[in-house]
Amino acid sequence: MNVAPERLAGWFDRFVERHGPVAWTVSPRAVTVTAADGAVADCQVPFPPLPSAPTATETAPTTETATATATADGSPGHQLAAHALADRRVGVLLVRLGGHAAGVFDGPRLIASKVGTRQVHGRSAAGGWSQQRFARRRDGQVRVALAAAADVAVAVLLPVAAELNAVVLGGERRAAAQVLDDPRLMPLRGLVVPPFLTVPDPRRRVLDESAAQFRAVRIRVVEPGAPEL
């Protein structure tokens, strides 16, 4: 499930109310809360690392035991909520072969954006020379589409690269990776953080809604007695 950062502290409060005393396992990229009744909630840290997490190693996290009042201020749950709520300037680049979008968010608010579309035909089932000609034409359309997406990223994201706390990608993984390979976008590569956003063809509405995805905390809950997947 995805939990909005504004709701996260309350979510942990209710988890403790339902399941009783809990123990916390904290690392820079994950927070796991295990209740006495066997319920487990694995939480992915957005925009890692979690500042309050142990820094020696991610493979040997520290465990803190909590009581039924575990979600009082200062608990790992509230620390994670505060981290998720922190003000950030985030660049978003969404790329699919049918379209692309780049935006800059100040918290949940979109403050700069550009969206574009390019026609890329689907793959042909025909054979012979016809199929080869179609494939060459399609390859050309793909190159044009990816170049246009890179141009938009250069125009929207590159001028504010030094101000960005992170960059989030979405759309089609291969297409986004190819756009990010553009030499002009090298300053953005070290800023990329998960999650990769699965979105339809980018439009302004899709870009607007992406903030809810990249700001959310992803939680996997295993209820008592349920088999772990």
Side-chain angles (χ1 to χ4, degrees):
M1 69 177 70
N2 293 342
V3 179
E6 294 81 4
R7 296 174 46 234
L8 188 60
W11 189 93
F12 283 120
D13 290 338
R14 291 187 292 275
F15 185 90
V16 173
E17 291 172 0
R18 291 194 306 271
H19 299 289
V22 299
W24 302 90
T25 302
V26 182
S27 75
R29 292 183 176 272
V31 172
T32 299
V33 54
T34 304
D37 68 354
V40 178
D42 291 320
C43 312
Q44 297 180 21
V45 174
F47 305 102
L50 182 65
S52 59
T55 57
T57 174
E58 289 188 30
T59 59
T62 301
T63 301
E64 299 180 17
T65 302
T67 65
T69 59
T71 52
D73 288 349
S75 74
H78 277 251
Q79 291 167 10
L80 177 60
H83 173 73
L85 280 168
D87 289 333
R88 294 180 180 87
R89 185 153 291 194
V90 179
V92 175
L93 176 60
L94 308 176
V95 185
R96 297 182 68 90
L97 294 184
H100 51 267
V104 178
F105 286 84
D106 190 3
R109 186 168 61 94
L110 183 63
I111 60 174
S113 66
K114 191 170 183 179
V115 177
T117 60
R118 284 294 186 276
Q119 184 180 35
V120 177
H121 292 294
R123 299 184 184 277
S124 173
W129 289 106
S130 176
Q131 182 178 15
Q132 294 176 28
R133 287 195 300 271
F134 183 91
R136 287 194 297 270
R137 185 166 65 249
R138 185 180 187 278
D139 287 345
Q141 291 172 342
V142 168
R143 287 193 296 271
V144 170
L146 297 180
D151 289 343
V152 165
V154 168
V156 176
L157 302 181
L158 207 55
V160 296
E163 304 171 18
L164 297 178
N165 299 110
V167 171
V168 175
L169 305 178
E172 296 172 346
R173 288 185 182 274
R174 183 178 178 183
Q178 288 177 302
V179 169
L180 203 61
D181 278 343
D182 188 298
R184 297 172 296 172
L185 299 179
M186 184 178 295
L188 302 180
R189 296 174 193 166
L191 296 172
V192 175
V193 299
F196 188 91
L197 307 181
T198 302
V199 297
D201 281 347
R203 300 292 186 268
R204 173 58 190 264
R205 176 184 58 80
V206 174
L207 181 61
D208 284 336
E209 294 172 353
S210 67
Q213 291 191 54
F214 70 71
R215 293 180 72 243
V217 176
R218 284 151 179 78
I219 304 177
R220 183 178 71 92
V221 178
V222 179
E223 295 292 345
E228 293 196 30
L229 302 177

